[in-house]
Amino acid sequence: MQPKPHIVHLPVYQPGKPIEDVKRELGLDEVIKLASNENPYGSSPKVLQAIQQEFANISVYPDGSAVALTQALAKQTGLKEEQFIYGCGSDEIIALITRAFLLPGEESIMADQTFSVYKSNVEIEGAVAVEVPLRDGVHDLDAMLAQINDRTKIIWICNPNNPTGTIVPEAELIAFLDQVPKHVMVVLDEAYAEFVTDRSYPDGIRLLSAYENLVVLRTFSKIYGLASLRIGYGMGAESTIR
Ligand SMILES: Cc1ncc(COP(=O)(O)O)c(C=O)c1O
């Protein structure tokens, strides 16, 4: 059975090796895995307690619209409940975005290097990943703007950027968003937002009211230490989320 021709060349994802394998192979006692950006402090004991309580309910489907979580996030962010979407990690939100918006042959602009999942999902849809080299490890927003043309559909900004850990400051991001045509979606991936201490770092959620074409991604995998639960979410204009 042949897969679609435009996905055959995609690289096979290489997950970080399990700690036990590395210990055995290299005869080490202590190994800290950095490859997957998991939280070394683990999760809150309150989460472990809550999960144990929920064990009694695993025979029923979960609430597909995540009502309780949406109410809590709407309260925390000031957004409407209709502005949230959830996925199996923010990985799935990235896949949903490309699935819903990208047609074969359309273009999607991203940094080189950045989170590899953007490019693989763009290519799975038969669209073209336009990669713009980082400048000193930071997104080169002017060079990304210069790549916009009639075929451009989505631009990805990973802030902070994985793997360089650099940020795009608020003033630069706003100047960039002001220049992106309204029919081009900008996805701001803030998987690591909560770790940033630099005061020039923008809060993407606050920018949503000013930019209808903006989508912000967040996740419970990183600062909350809940990677195995796979809970990521996207926020955007109600029409986009619908
Ligand atoms: C920049 C970035 N975005 C999104 C994700 C996906 O996280 P998750 O699918 O666990 O929400 C990661 C995971 O490493 C990441 O580094």
Side-chain angles (χ1 to χ4, degrees):
M1 187 103 66
Q2 283 296 316
K4 297 178 187 175
H6 58 269
I7 70 167
V8 176
H9 73 284
L10 290 176
V12 177
Y13 182 69
Q14 301 287 349
K17 260 192 197 175
I19 286 178
E20 289 311 317
D21 288 5
V22 176
K23 277 187 184 169
R24 203 175 41 246
E25 281 171 26
L26 301 176
L28 299 170
D29 293 330
E30 197 188 345
V31 170
I32 297 170
K33 181 176 160 197
L34 300 177
S36 306
N37 294 343
E38 292 148 337
N39 192 324
Y41 298 107
S43 58
S44 159
K46 288 183 184 170
V47 175
L48 301 181
Q49 210 177 17
I51 288 174
Q52 270 158 17
Q53 278 164 15
E54 285 302 318
F55 263 144
N57 300 324
I58 58 171
S59 61
V60 296
Y61 289 113
D63 167 16
S65 44
V67 172
L69 180 57
T70 304
Q71 285 170 349
L73 284 172
K75 198 166 156 208
Q76 191 195 44
T77 58
L79 299 177
K80 289 190 194 164
E81 292 180 16
E82 293 75 17
Q83 290 186 269
F84 292 88
I85 187 166
Y86 303 91
C88 187
S90 45
D91 272 349
E92 193 188 9
I93 309 289
I94 296 166
L96 288 173
I97 290 170
T98 58
R99 198 81 233 262
F101 290 95
L102 276 181
L103 289 169
E106 289 184 329
E107 295 185 5
S108 184
I109 301 172
M110 64 196 70
D112 175 22
Q113 297 274 311
T114 191
F115 188 45
S116 60
V117 171
Y118 314 142
K119 183 178 178 181
S120 48
N121 279 289
V122 165
E123 295 192 339
I124 286 167
E125 299 306 325
V128 180
V130 178
E131 296 178 274
V132 176
L134 296 168
R135 204 176 48 203
D136 298 327
V138 186
H139 282 72
D140 187 345
L141 297 182
D142 289 337
M144 294 177 89
L145 282 172
Q147 290 296 331
I148 296 175
N149 62 36
D150 292 348
R151 293 179 299 279
T152 308
K153 197 69 163 286
I154 301 175
I155 305 175
W156 306 87
I157 305 288
C158 187
N159 204 31
N161 189 38
N162 176 3
T164 54
T166 52
I167 62 159
V168 171
E170 181 160 34
E172 274 91 328
L173 182 66
I174 288 175
F176 170 81
L177 290 170
D178 284 340
Q179 292 175 77
V180 174
K182 297 292 163 249
H183 62 275
V184 174
M185 178 186 285
V186 177
V187 181
L188 191 58
D189 183 348
E190 296 188 335
Y192 304 98
E194 300 91 345
F195 295 92
V196 183
T197 52
D198 190 320
R199 294 169 76 94
S200 71
Y201 179 70
D203 177 356
I205 296 172
R206 279 202 310 112
L207 296 174
L208 284 169
S209 58
Y211 301 95
E212 279 265 311
N213 56 336
L214 182 63
V215 172
V216 176
L217 308 184
R218 295 270 182 119
T219 179
F220 284 91
S221 299
K222 307 300 179 182
I223 196 102
Y224 293 96
L226 299 176
S228 88
L229 295 189
R230 312 301 294 123
I231 309 166
Y233 57 107
M235 293 156 284
E238 286 178 62
S239 56
T240 309
I241 297 298
R242 193 166 55 240

